[in-house]
Amino acid sequence: MRILVMGGTWFLGKAVVDDALRRGWQVTAFTRGRSGAPAPGAESVRGDRLVAQDLARLAELGPWDAVVDTSASGLAPRDVLAGAQALKEEARQYVYVSTVSVYRGWPNEPLTEESEVLDGPPDADAGYGAMPAGWTGPDLHYGRQKAGTERAVVAAFGHARTAIVRPGVILGPGEYVGRLPWWLNRAAHGGRILAPGSPAKVIQPVDVRDVARFALDQAAAPAGGTYNVTAPVGRDTMGDLLTACLDITGASGRLAWAPDELLLGHGVRQWTELPLWRTHPGVWQIDATRAYAAGLVCRPLAETVTDTWQWLRSGGLPVDHPRWAQHGIDPAKEAKVLASLG
């Protein structure tokens, strides 16, 4: 197999390159070079996918058996369309890593691949789907943009040659968002730890290496398809996650579970101040049966926690990203909420 990875130097893209090299595949990594070089053994091509000349130069290096696109976050549908059109004669298959945010019902409803996908044309610009000033409802801009990028790939490659991978929350070594690293560092600090909601609350994060492996399996598959990629519903809980963080860090911290209503009353921001905490009923109800049937295997959550802590302890640093700073509750605010628990 000879594959082209759009991205390839951080988090999911790096995991894809590493796994492909272990399989003995030939790998071309197309990157801007802002977050290091791809793993030794991969062919590195420097360029910007927003520059037509760079895409044309990249296409001249084909053909490939498949493109695995891990770097379209933040791109408008029309930008993804231009890239896919430039490569459609140079690859048999296109594996596009999208998100469950494309569903109209997320995070309020349980989801399958048959759930309604948001509007978003394949040639939309970055402003398409933006909420009007003063809008107080859900912000669907990101979901509409990602839905449009999915349609852009299909417009260029067709359904039979397109595999769409829709992960939920991705954790693991190299994480740049900062969700699991924040919990690990908070556990290591010890003391009384504000824990959100209930320890029995189901969660479905998936390990970055498992997403990478599944994406590569789809690159080698004879036809395309659409897949939700999450851990099984009901396998893991918030209690499992936080207990694993305490166990692996060896800290003497004590979890103090605060009901959702109390946290909301204190103005604790969902999803960020206490990472992975969200009260919406569908956020962790994503059916991935189709992906399991196609070979998805999700490693134990404790393994993800352990390996992420080892990465942090070994001096691992994420790619600098503004989302990292958004995660974590201020210690003074945490202390105030803890005091209200008694």
Side-chain angles (χ1 to χ4, degrees), residues 5-62:
V5 180
M6 303 295 278
T9 58
W10 56 293
F11 203 38
L12 179 56
K14 181 179 183 302
V16 168
V17 169
D18 291 346
D19 193 327
L21 291 172
R22 283 193 294 269
R23 297 179 187 217
W25 293 5
Q26 293 179 278
V27 180
T28 302
F30 182 64
T31 76
R32 293 177 298 177
R34 297 180 181 178
S35 53
E43 176 187 17
S44 179
V45 178
R46 187 74 60 87
D48 191 327
R49 61 189 296 170
L50 298 179
V51 177
Q53 295 90 333
D54 289 355
L55 287 173
R57 177 170 51 85
L58 175 64
E60 292 175 355
L61 301 176

Side-chain angles (χ1 to χ4, degrees), residues 41-308:
E43 176 187 17
S44 179
V45 178
R46 187 74 60 87
D48 191 327
R49 61 189 296 170
L50 298 179
V51 177
Q53 295 90 333
D54 289 355
L55 287 173
R57 177 170 51 85
L58 175 64
E60 292 175 355
L61 301 176
W64 296 274
D65 294 291
V67 178
V68 181
D69 191 347
T70 68
S71 67
S73 180
L75 295 184
R78 67 181 183 184
D79 297 325
V80 175
L81 179 62
Q85 287 176 332
L87 298 169
K88 67 181 180 180
E89 302 301 328
E90 301 302 329
R92 175 189 59 81
Q93 185 90 333
Y94 200 114
V95 180
Y96 181 66
V97 180
S98 184
T99 169
V100 296
S101 294
V102 300
Y103 292 114
R104 184 173 296 278
W106 193 86
N108 296 308
E109 303 170 6
L111 298 171
T112 73
E113 290 89 353
E114 307 309 317
S115 300
E116 181 184 1
V117 173
L118 289 164
D119 58 297
D123 57 352
D125 63 17
Y128 181 86
M131 300 296 104
W135 177 260
T136 58
D139 188 349
L140 303 179
H141 182 220
Y142 176 69
R144 285 171 168 160
Q145 288 281 305
K146 294 301 289 185
T149 59
E150 289 186 0
R151 294 185 178 105
V153 175
V154 172
F157 273 74
H159 286 286
R161 297 170 57 205
T162 302
I164 295 174
V165 177
R166 294 173 179 158
V169 171
I170 305 177
L171 303 178
E175 184 198 334
Y176 65 92
V177 176
R179 295 179 175 118
L180 180 51
W182 187 84
W183 278 118
L184 282 163
N185 287 323
R186 179 63 190 90
H189 183 70
R192 198 174 180 216
I193 299 170
L194 181 62
S198 164
K201 177 70 173 180
V202 168
I203 59 175
Q204 288 181 274
V206 61
D207 191 286
V208 63
R209 295 161 293 184
D210 298 333
V211 180
R213 182 174 61 245
F214 184 76
L216 290 174
D217 288 347
Q218 300 319 300
T226 300
Y227 305 93
N228 295 334
V229 176
T230 66
V233 175
R235 189 191 71 171
D236 302 315
T237 66
M238 185 64 82
D240 294 332
L241 175 71
L242 300 192
T243 300
C245 288
L246 287 171
D247 289 345
I248 192 59
T249 58
S252 58
R254 306 179 310 281
L255 298 174
W257 293 93
D260 293 339
E261 296 77 13
L262 186 143
L263 295 173
L264 294 172
H266 280 272
V268 178
R269 291 193 307 276
Q270 298 190 51
W271 212 232
T272 54
E273 282 195 294
L274 293 175
L276 304 179
W277 169 65
R278 201 163 188 171
T279 61
H280 301 73
V283 67
W284 302 117
Q285 294 294 320
I286 302 163
D287 182 79
T289 303
R290 185 183 295 178
Y292 307 141
L296 173 64
V297 177
C298 293
R299 70 192 65 206
L301 179 60
E303 182 178 334
T304 301
V305 172
T306 297
D307 292 348
T308 302

